[in-house]
Amino acid sequence: PLLGTRGGDDPGALHAKLFGGLVSGVFSELVDVLARTRGADPRALWEAVAAVGREVYAGLPESEDAAAFFGDTMPLKATVAMRLSVNPGTAQWTYPPNPLAPRR
């Protein structure tokens, strides 16, 4: 059987897949590494990410994407819980606070 990510057209699921990886994976890791290794201010780094996000969304047609990107919480895949579950091919998510939310 095919396990893992499958295509779909549910906006909530698409936002979770895209922004879960982008915000909690890529941006969070960059902010953390730059703060730890270069002494960068995490608040300033998150503001830089938010500024680019605001600029990008200002140039796009109105959609639910900006609201999801700057939402109160960010989707984070609960990978360990998935691997330990009876059905490891089913995505499980948790929703910690989004560091971009205060910077809408």
Side-chain angles (χ1 to χ4, degrees):
L2 180 62
L3 299 176
T5 303
R6 295 174 179 87
D9 58 3
D10 172 29
L14 295 172
H15 287 142
K17 289 178 183 181
L18 173 61
F19 298 137
L22 187 62
V23 176
S24 67
V26 177
F27 294 147
S28 290
E29 184 67 16
L30 287 172
V31 167
D32 181 59
V33 168
L34 290 171
R36 281 187 295 109
T37 64
R38 301 287 186 226
D41 178 8
R43 292 175 302 246
L45 295 172
W46 281 116
E47 182 53 44
V49 172
V52 172
R54 288 190 299 270
E55 183 179 335
V56 167
Y57 286 114
L60 295 175
E62 186 64 33
S63 72
E64 300 170 6
D65 296 343
F69 185 74
F70 289 103
D72 291 334
T73 60
M74 65 176 174
L76 180 63
K77 195 172 260 190
T79 308
V80 173
M82 288 172 51
R83 299 298 181 256
L84 296 174
S85 74
V86 174
N87 186 359
T90 301
Q92 294 184 38
W93 299 89
T94 186
Y95 296 88
N98 183 350
L100 296 170
R103 297 162 176 86
R104 291 185 184 113

